[in-house]
Amino acid sequence: MVQLFKEGRGSAHAFMNWQSKEQLDLEYILNVPATVIDNHTVEVAGERFQADNLVLGTGAETVFPNIPGTDLHGVYDFVSLIEELDFEPQRCVIIGGSKVAIEYGSFFQAAGCPTTIAARKPLMRTASLHHVDEDLRQYVVDGMRKRGMQILEGVEPVAIKGDGNGNAKEVILRNMQDGSEESLACDFVFIGTGERPKSEHYREVLGVAVGEKGEILVDKHMRTSVPNVYAIGDLIGPPMEMFKARKGGMTAARNIMGEPYEFDWTDYPDFLHSTYEITWVGLSEEEARQRYDNVVVIQMPPKGVPHEDIPLPCAEGTMLYAFMYPELTGFQKAVVEGNSRRLLGFHHVGFGAKDAFQYLDYLMRRPEGITIDEMGNMNELFLNPEHFIQLCRLRAGSPNLRDL
Amino acid sequence: MVQLFKEGRGSAHAFMNWQSKEQLDLEYILNVPATVIDNHTVEVAGERFQADNLVLGTGAETVFPNIPGTDLHGVYDFVSLIEELDFEPQRCVIIGGSKVAIEYGSFFQAAGCPTTIAARKPLMRTASLHHVDEDLRQYVVDGMRKRGMQILEGVEPVAIKGDGNGNAKEVILRNMQDGSEESLACDFVFIGTGERPKSEHYREVLGVAVGEKGEILVDKHMRTSVPNVYAIGDLIGPPMEMFKARKGGMTAARNIMGEPYEFDWTDYPDFLHSTYEITWVGLSEEEARQRYDNVVVIQMPPKGVPHEDIPLPCAEGTMLYAFMYPELTGFQKAVVEGNSRRLLGFHHVGFGAKDAFQYLDYLMRRPEGITIDEMGNMNELFLNPEHFIQLCRLRAGSPNLRDL
């Protein structure tokens, strides 16, 4: 499995490289560190390159907790895991509760390695997940537990201990409420405590302005404080998501080519992979109720109906869940402003709905937005995991909207 | 498996019934045949109901081929399969190459029953699939063969033969080119030769006008030739798709309530489940080239690049395909009119992209359509199976579009 993962990951990256070179006519140099000399000069593998503009995109790195044992064999973060994992782990403890912790932890568990997540705060209550309602959050965390994961909240790491050969063998945790300690045996420790932009080199050499967490400060054109220097991706801070990195690169390129293109990433559709695929865009129900008086909710299962009673439409390959484990088939919610009849938010827990959220984001964000009546007018494709069109149609046209 | 399927299917239907009753306040009577007396009167289970309007929606039934042996035990269509299948089949032959044949055949094969499809014409070259290009068609049919299905094209059924106990044991086929016959041993025969609307009762009692294949003729309000009688769904002929049934029901209801709502189902997004999920909306590349001079194609893998070299982004749960079997990860194509820069069609073979096509249909069909530049401007969710936004962005903004 380890070997397969390494090779497979390489092939996907190799194709993106092929695409950039053959289809976009880019030139690039891979797998060597670059040194910035000034805002027009970069040195790579002993060669100096002159350029009118620089675009910095070197990302972020894991913030390791300041505890003993993080240098033991068997302790990885998302970077070293790919490069250095050299055994099939039997038991995993994840320190931290970040998105990376949830995504990798769910993958380890699904791949047959029993996994514990040990986090200070309740999972999914971090700032970047403020659009996720408590009922959806609970459903997702319950789902992880139902698949056998152990989730410990309100604990902090004290130490990672090794055996005589320098291999990690246990994690010591402290209960933040009563101070008691416990030990979890494991052969694999994954650090998921969040990332910090790798901006030191640019601060030292170029003097670019950074924020309090080391993120390079940029405007909506992706310009840094230094003329002719742009920065993109995780290097400019949260959200540390692929969409921002990619669209930021396009924004920098367009500005360099003379087009005053602006990119606003303050609100965006987002997702999280756990044992489910969780996707959302726009306001949560709770956020909507704080801002509007007349909020209507369309959801499956409806409020008060247990998940066990409602097998939702499933994606390809997960249909048997609907038959055997209806409680695992998902949870979805659309939030409507009842007076304007406009959709304020869409939320989905399940499988296979992610793509749709890109277009829901566009429709909701355009000036005229999208109403429940326009949703009901669309042509749906049955059976689909995200069946907002069908659900909206059950209320579309009604003069007085009420919850579904 | 048979038992699980029956129970599971029932639970999903039970929920839709619950939803109709509890959330839409409908009243209905299940599992009894209804007799229409006149255009205001229906008799059900000995009771007569009076109504201002009737909405007919009794669907279609399989056209069985006129050959000996279709009454043997072990011969089913999509209706009797659910009701009557009483053994675990070991070897299946499907007579016919309809959408139902492809969808059920792929399911039988995936469920562990080796399956042969025996069809007169090449699969997927029927009228309802005219928006599917030959390269995509070939990829889908190849994919079925790679999963072990046997596909025989250009053959017609001669007879189904049984053993001494009345159980089907072989299908005799005739090669339509050279007239030679062959026998396929099996214990399970599935009829997939297409369906015909069940309109006889309404013709006899109400005298509704029907077309040459028995379909009840309706206008865009779903009105039949008989006052106060509406018809919807498979009963009004192709496309025999769920979206048309559902939206037709809404159309009839709105018209009955006094709103002159029209529904045009001449063009629509559509899908087919094989060993893949195949989804499309708008024109195929071939159709576009017949209508426009400047057609630009954006596709993955690009033309001339083998599928084995390109692992595409995969849906949840299919990522390992990308690592082990890149040739199975899919095929996608967007068709662009190069002068207006508007999208003419989207096509996807893979898993998990279906939901997105509902919104792509809406965007493409609205008066202003959607351009490649607007696509490139959207916020994408990475990694997603249908990555049209990312692909469009690689060409968006370029003054002269060229293929990707």
Side-chain angles (χ1 to χ4, degrees):
Chain A
M1 176 69 89
V2 170
Q3 198 54 34
L4 177 67
F5 191 71
K6 284 185 186 178
E7 286 171 12
R9 192 174 185 275
S11 80
H13 282 199
F15 177 67
M16 282 192 255
N17 295 342
W18 178 89
Q19 192 170 41
S20 303
K21 275 196 279 201
E22 303 297 327
Q23 297 193 295
L24 299 184
D25 307 324
L26 287 183
E27 183 189 14
Y28 50 80
I29 303 167
L30 290 175
N31 299 322
V32 276
T35 306
V36 173
I37 309 297
D38 61 37
N39 62 349
H40 295 294
T41 317
V42 178
E43 187 172 298
V44 183
E47 195 178 348
R48 287 203 173 193
F49 292 85
Q50 295 291 327
D52 291 339
N53 299 277
L54 299 186
V55 181
L56 312 176
T58 42
E61 62 195 345
T62 301
V63 180
F64 275 70
N66 187 20
I67 56 169
T70 55
D71 55 344
L72 288 165
H73 177 255
V75 181
Y76 301 95
D77 73 347
F78 69 99
V79 175
S80 61
L81 180 76
I82 303 297
E83 306 292 337
E84 295 165 22
L85 182 64
D86 55 3
F87 66 105
E88 292 279 349
Q90 302 300 312
R91 183 73 180 83
C92 177
V93 172
I94 297 185
I95 295 175
S98 65
K99 282 177 96 172
V100 165
I102 294 170
E103 300 202 332
Y104 278 77
S106 301
F107 172 75
F108 300 147
Q109 179 77 28
C113 178
T115 296
T116 298
I117 295 182
R120 285 191 167 87
K121 295 184 205 159
L123 291 195
M124 298 177 63
R125 280 215 194 116
T126 48
S128 68
L129 293 162
H130 62 91
H131 284 322
V132 178
D133 273 317
E134 179 60 22
D135 51 2
L136 280 106
R137 189 193 81 82
Q138 199 61 55
Y139 181 73
V140 172
V141 177
D142 279 356
M144 294 167 78
R145 290 200 168 104
K146 277 186 183 145
R147 301 295 178 105
M149 296 178 75
Q150 185 185 21
I151 295 167
L152 304 175
E153 295 169 332
V155 295
E156 58 186 0
V158 176
I160 306 168
K161 293 195 174 171
D163 62 15
N165 299 317
N167 295 317
K169 73 174 178 103
E170 60 178 322
V171 173
I172 312 294
L173 300 169
R174 183 187 296 124
N175 184 308
M176 292 167 73
Q177 204 156 23
D178 63 19
S180 63
E181 292 193 359
E182 69 175 315
S183 161
L184 294 178
C186 61
D187 61 350
F188 174 37
V189 179
F190 184 80
I191 307 296
T193 39
E195 296 94 50
R196 187 185 164 89
K198 290 196 282 189
S199 58
E200 293 81 359
H201 177 55
Y202 311 116
R203 274 186 305 190
E204 288 167 17
V205 177
L206 298 171
V208 290
V210 301
E212 58 184 26
K213 290 187 174 169
E215 75 279 12
I216 293 185
L217 300 174
V218 295
D219 63 14
K220 286 183 180 172
H221 304 268
M222 316 310 288
R223 292 182 298 217
T224 69
S225 63
V226 177
N228 301 106
V229 177
Y230 297 77
I232 62 169
D234 294 353
L235 188 56
I236 64 170
M240 294 192 185
E241 300 290 352
M242 184 68 89
F243 93 93
K244 183 175 117 272
R246 294 182 154 226
K247 206 164 160 184
M250 179 188 78
T251 303
R254 289 189 163 197
N255 278 279
I256 287 170
M257 299 302 289
E259 182 187 349
Y261 187 92
E262 294 191 357
F263 174 28
D264 176 5
W265 60 91
T266 50
D267 222 354
Y268 50 92
D270 202 4
F271 69 96
L272 173 69
H273 288 162
S274 71
T275 49
Y276 297 105
E277 196 174 85
I278 306 118
T279 324
W280 63 92
V281 62
L283 302 182
S284 70
E285 180 184 351
E286 191 185 335
E287 290 172 324
R289 291 197 189 283
Q290 283 162 7
R291 296 191 206 179
Y292 300 96
D293 288 335
N294 182 7
V295 171
V296 176
V297 173
I298 289 179
Q299 69 173 56
M300 285 275 275
K303 289 185 185 186
V305 179
H307 289 273
E308 304 85 80
D309 292 354
I310 312 283
L312 300 193
C314 281
E316 195 71 13
T318 55
M319 190 68 88
L320 283 179
Y321 283 140
F323 296 170
M324 295 190 72
Y325 309 105
E327 71 276 19
L328 297 182
T329 55
F331 190 12
Q332 65 181 111
K333 190 190 283 196
V335 183
V336 184
E337 201 287 301
N339 300 327
S340 66
R341 307 173 74 88
R342 281 175 64 159
L343 270 302
L344 300 172
F346 294 98
H347 307 267
H348 188 270
V349 183
F351 306 96
K354 206 202 291 182
D355 281 31
F357 276 73
Q358 307 174 129
Y359 307 106
L360 291 170
D361 172 63
Y362 171 85
L363 292 170
M364 229 175 55
R365 199 181 302 285
R366 62 181 183 172
E368 68 270 36
I370 182 91
T371 66
I372 187 172
D373 308 296
E374 289 169 303
M375 286 289 293
N377 237 351
M378 292 187 187
N379 294 321
E380 89 266 27
L381 286 169
F382 200 72
L383 290 158
N384 62 326
E386 166 279 291
H387 54 300
F388 288 120
I389 295 175
Q390 294 97 310
L391 292 178
C392 283
R393 189 179 296 150
L394 298 184
R395 289 289 185 245
S398 306
N400 296 310
L401 294 180
R402 57 194 170 102
D403 288 354
L404 185 80
Chain B
M1 176 72 87
V2 170
Q3 198 53 34
L4 178 68
F5 191 73
K6 284 185 185 176
E7 286 171 9
R9 192 174 184 277
S11 79
H13 282 200
F15 177 67
M16 284 193 257
N17 294 343
W18 177 89
Q19 192 170 41
S20 304
K21 275 195 277 199
E22 303 298 326
Q23 297 194 296
L24 300 183
D25 308 323
L26 288 182
E27 183 188 16
Y28 51 80
I29 302 166
L30 291 174
N31 299 323
V32 276
T35 306
V36 173
I37 307 298
D38 61 38
N39 62 350
H40 294 293
T41 317
V42 178
E43 187 172 299
V44 183
E47 194 177 349
R48 288 204 173 192
F49 293 85
Q50 295 291 326
D52 291 337
N53 298 277
L54 299 186
V55 181
L56 312 176
T58 43
E61 63 196 343
T62 302
V63 181
F64 276 69
N66 187 18
I67 57 170
T70 56
D71 55 344
L72 288 165
H73 177 254
V75 180
Y76 302 95
D77 73 346
F78 70 98
V79 175
S80 61
L81 180 76
I82 302 296
E83 306 292 336
E84 294 166 23
L85 181 64
D86 55 3
F87 65 106
E88 292 280 348
Q90 302 300 311
R91 183 75 181 83
C92 176
V93 172
I94 297 185
I95 295 175
S98 66
K99 283 178 95 171
V100 165
I102 293 170
E103 300 202 332
Y104 279 78
S106 301
F107 172 75
F108 300 149
Q109 178 77 27
C113 178
T115 296
T116 298
I117 295 183
R120 286 189 165 86
K121 295 186 205 158
L123 291 195
M124 298 177 61
R125 280 217 193 112
T126 46
S128 68
L129 293 163
H130 63 91
H131 284 323
V132 179
D133 273 317
E134 179 60 22
D135 51 1
L136 279 105
R137 188 193 82 81
Q138 200 60 56
Y139 181 74
V140 172
V141 177
D142 280 356
M144 294 167 77
R145 290 200 168 105
K146 278 187 182 142
R147 302 294 178 106
M149 297 180 75
Q150 184 184 25
I151 296 166
L152 305 175
E153 296 169 332
V155 295
E156 58 185 3
V158 176
I160 305 168
K161 293 195 173 169
D163 63 15
N165 300 319
N167 297 316
K169 74 176 178 100
E170 61 178 322
V171 173
I172 312 294
L173 300 169
R174 182 187 296 123
N175 184 307
M176 293 168 72
Q177 203 156 25
D178 62 19
S180 63
E181 291 192 358
E182 70 175 314
S183 162
L184 295 178
C186 60
D187 61 350
F188 174 37
V189 179
F190 184 79
I191 307 296
T193 40
E195 295 93 52
R196 187 184 164 88
K198 291 195 282 189
S199 58
E200 294 80 358
H201 176 57
Y202 311 116
R203 276 186 305 191
E204 289 167 14
V205 177
L206 298 171
V208 290
V210 301
E212 59 184 25
K213 291 189 172 165
E215 74 279 13
I216 293 186
L217 299 174
V218 296
D219 62 13
K220 287 183 180 171
H221 304 268
M222 317 309 289
R223 292 182 296 218
T224 70
S225 63
V226 177
N228 301 106
V229 178
Y230 297 76
I232 61 168
D234 294 353
L235 188 57
I236 63 170
M240 295 192 183
E241 301 289 354
M242 184 67 89
F243 93 94
K244 184 175 118 272
R246 293 182 154 225
K247 207 164 158 181
M250 179 187 76
T251 303
R254 287 188 165 200
N255 278 279
I256 288 170
M257 298 304 289
E259 181 187 352
Y261 188 92
E262 295 193 355
F263 174 29
D264 176 5
W265 60 90
T266 50
D267 221 354
Y268 49 92
D270 202 6
F271 69 96
L272 173 68
H273 287 162
S274 71
T275 49
Y276 297 104
E277 195 173 88
I278 306 119
T279 325
W280 62 91
V281 61
L283 301 183
S284 71
E285 180 184 352
E286 191 185 335
E287 290 172 325
R289 291 196 188 285
Q290 284 164 6
R291 297 192 205 178
Y292 300 96
D293 288 335
N294 182 8
V295 171
V296 176
V297 173
I298 288 178
Q299 70 173 55
M300 286 274 278
K303 289 185 185 187
V305 178
H307 289 273
E308 304 84 82
D309 293 354
I310 313 284
L312 301 193
C314 281
E316 195 72 13
T318 55
M319 190 67 88
L320 283 179
Y321 285 139
F323 296 168
M324 295 191 71
Y325 309 106
E327 71 276 17
L328 297 182
T329 54
F331 190 12
Q332 65 181 110
K333 190 190 282 196
V335 182
V336 185
E337 201 287 301
N339 300 328
S340 67
R341 307 173 74 88
R342 280 174 64 158
L343 270 302
L344 300 173
F346 294 98
H347 308 266
H348 188 270
V349 183
F351 305 96
K354 204 201 292 180
D355 282 30
F357 276 73
Q358 306 173 129
Y359 307 106
L360 290 170
D361 172 65
Y362 172 85
L363 292 170
M364 228 175 55
R365 199 181 302 283
R366 64 182 181 170
E368 68 270 35
I370 182 92
T371 66
I372 186 172
D373 309 297
E374 290 169 302
M375 286 289 291
N377 237 348
M378 291 186 188
N379 294 321
E380 88 266 28
L381 286 170
F382 199 73
L383 292 156
N384 61 324
E386 167 278 291
H387 53 301
F388 288 121
I389 294 175
Q390 292 99 309
L391 292 178
C392 283
R393 188 180 296 151
L394 299 183
R395 289 290 185 244
S398 307
N400 296 310
L401 294 179
R402 57 195 171 100
D403 288 355
L404 184 79

